[in-house]
Amino acid sequence: MTKVVYLDIVLVGNLVMNFLILWSTAKFAKLHPGRWRLLLGAVVGSIYTLTVFIPELYALLHWICKLTISILMVLITFGMLPGRQLLATLFYFYLSSFGLGGLVFGSMYFMQSVGYNDQIFTFSQLIKNYFWHGILLAIIIILIIGQWGSLVHRKRVWQQQFKRDVTIKISDQQVQLQGLLDTGNGLTDPLTGLPVMVVEYQAVKPILPMEIKQLYESKQHADYIQVQQAVTASAWATQVCFIPFQSLGKKNGLLLGVRPDEVRIKVGNQVVSTTKVIVAIHQGELSTDNGYQALLHPELMKVAC
């Protein structure tokens, strides 16, 4: 039985796929190679594919050779990388490879409409009839994933780098939450000059007095005059203040601020305690994915250092 090899599919198809894999790898690894380096790395991978059709070169199909070619493609495309960055880039390379391969073959099977009872349907026929259709659909999908997915990934990595475990203690009660260092947070208490940490109401609700909780939950927006009246005659009178702020679309806003007994921030393996901070209560959500419940003032990090 004669075997037919479609070299255009083997060479050009692999060239396109390797280019997309390297492009996707660059997106996730936050590297910026030139197009010619992407193309050169893709060419190396495409040429290596020919070893499958040359019996004398079958020894090069060993997994060690495949790993070597992968490293070579990464180095040609991105240059010499430090050890940890090279390992991370290789991880993204294989993640993109398996993902793209699955997309291509999944797309081909999705588009083929020939049943097994209609004719003898073989894998080679699938490649011949639907390979380029699968490549085109995979290109569209990977461009979307590479652009959107890398942005989501960067956001998560960025948040992880700036997120801190925070404990707020008020009147012998405490809550634990996730805080995000906000380099653009310049809020300070106008009377004391203390830095302001903005915290979601739901996160600090358990340690707030009943008077404040009732006012926050009975109205869509807290009436700060009523809040002030409610706490004036209580033990909280000296702990409550109001923080003026401005944000996009809102001028002369007010946030209810509370002077905590203690705020503890975990920085690496250290836990730093401070009382020189105001906790401002925000009624809405600070993070759409609930990744953090507080915005930390940069001054708090200076205290932590």
Side-chain angles (χ1 to χ4, degrees), residues 114-129:
V114 178
Y116 288 95
N117 293 327
D118 295 328
Q119 66 180 50
I120 300 175
F121 187 77
T122 64
F123 182 74
S124 62
Q125 288 173 324
L126 179 69
I127 294 291
K128 178 183 177 181
N129 296 333

Side-chain angles (χ1 to χ4, degrees), residues 78-94:
F78 305 110
M80 296 301 297
L81 299 171
R84 293 182 65 179
Q85 189 177 18
L86 176 60
L87 290 176
T89 305
L90 279 172
F91 170 78
Y92 292 128
F93 175 83
Y94 281 112

Side-chain angles (χ1 to χ4, degrees), residues 231-232 234-241 258-259:
V231 299
T232 296
S234 70
W236 283 74
T238 58
Q239 289 183 267
V240 172
C241 60
V258 178
R259 297 180 179 89

Side-chain angles (χ1 to χ4, degrees), residues 198-204 281-282 284-287 290 292-294:
V198 182
V199 181
E200 292 178 359
Y201 165 70
Q202 291 296 333
V204 291
I281 302 171
H282 176 64
E285 294 181 347
L286 297 173
S287 170
N290 200 33
Y292 54 90
Q293 300 81 43

Side-chain angles (χ1 to χ4, degrees), residues 254-281:
L254 283 176
L255 287 173
L256 174 66
V258 178
R259 297 180 179 89
D261 296 329
E262 183 186 26
V263 169
R264 294 194 297 270
I265 304 172
K266 186 175 181 181
V267 182
N269 295 324
Q270 295 183 331
V271 177
V272 180
S273 172
T274 182
T275 58
K276 298 179 179 180
V277 60
I278 300 293
V279 175
I281 302 171

Side-chain angles (χ1 to χ4, degrees), residues 9-269:
I9 293 179
V10 174
L11 288 174
V12 182
N14 274 280
L15 182 65
V16 173
M17 290 183 67
N18 288 333
F19 188 91
L20 286 174
I21 289 168
L22 292 169
W23 177 86
S24 179
T25 301
K27 285 289 183 181
F28 282 100
K30 294 185 288 186
L31 298 171
H32 307 282
R35 292 180 181 178
W36 286 108
R37 298 197 69 162
L38 283 170
L39 182 60
L40 184 58
V43 166
V44 171
S46 184
I47 292 174
Y48 174 73
T49 309
L50 294 177
T51 56
V52 219
F53 306 103
I54 305 174
E56 292 80 8
L57 299 179
Y58 280 175
L60 296 178
L61 295 176
H62 193 276
W63 69 268
I64 294 179
C65 296
K66 293 178 181 178
L67 178 61
T68 302
I69 292 296
S70 301
I71 296 173
L72 182 61
M73 289 173 64
V74 167
L75 293 178
I76 288 174
T77 305
F78 305 110
M80 296 301 297
L81 299 171
R84 293 182 65 179
Q85 189 177 18
L86 176 60
L87 290 176
T89 305
L90 279 172
F91 170 78
Y92 292 128
F93 175 83
Y94 281 112
L95 185 66
S96 301
S97 299
F98 297 145
L100 181 59
L103 278 174
V104 170
F105 287 110
S107 300
M108 288 192 297
Y109 277 109
F110 179 78
M111 286 182 288
Q112 71 90 11
S113 57
V114 178
Y116 288 95
N117 293 327
D118 295 328
Q119 66 180 50
I120 300 175
F121 187 77
T122 64
F123 182 74
S124 62
Q125 288 173 324
L126 179 69
I127 294 291
K128 178 183 177 181
N129 296 333
Y130 297 103
F131 181 78
W132 290 111
H133 299 80
I135 283 284
L136 180 59
L137 184 56
I139 287 175
I140 295 172
I141 295 174
I142 203 168
L143 285 175
I144 295 173
I145 294 175
Q147 198 67 37
W148 174 80
S150 63
L151 290 176
V152 173
H153 174 69
R154 289 182 194 179
K155 179 182 176 182
R156 290 181 177 177
V157 171
W158 178 81
Q159 286 189 5
Q160 290 299 325
Q161 289 177 343
F162 289 92
K163 280 170 68 172
R164 301 287 186 269
D165 293 328
V166 179
T167 301
I168 302 173
K169 183 178 180 181
I170 300 175
S171 299
D172 296 325
Q173 297 185 75
Q174 65 181 34
V175 291
Q176 293 181 329
L177 48 87
Q178 286 284 305
L180 181 72
L181 173 61
D182 181 10
T183 56
N185 179 8
L187 275 181
T188 57
D189 180 9
L191 296 178
T192 63
L194 293 176
V196 174
M197 176 174 64
V198 182
V199 181
E200 292 178 359
Y201 165 70
Q202 291 296 333
V204 291
K205 175 182 174 181
I207 60 176
L208 293 177
M210 187 57 65
E211 298 91 338
I212 294 179
K213 286 192 284 189
Q214 287 176 345
L215 290 171
Y216 266 89
E217 295 179 6
S218 64
K219 297 178 180 292
Q220 186 175 1
H221 297 285
D223 187 327
Y224 293 105
I225 295 177
Q226 285 186 297
V227 172
Q228 189 173 30
Q229 292 173 346
V231 299
T232 296
S234 70
W236 283 74
T238 58
Q239 289 183 267
V240 172
C241 60
F242 295 93
I243 310 297
F245 74 97
Q246 292 185 0
S247 63
L248 187 62
K250 185 169 184 178
K251 296 181 178 180
N252 303 320
L254 283 176
L255 287 173
L256 174 66
V258 178
R259 297 180 179 89
D261 296 329
E262 183 186 26
V263 169
R264 294 194 297 270
I265 304 172
K266 186 175 181 181
V267 182
N269 295 324

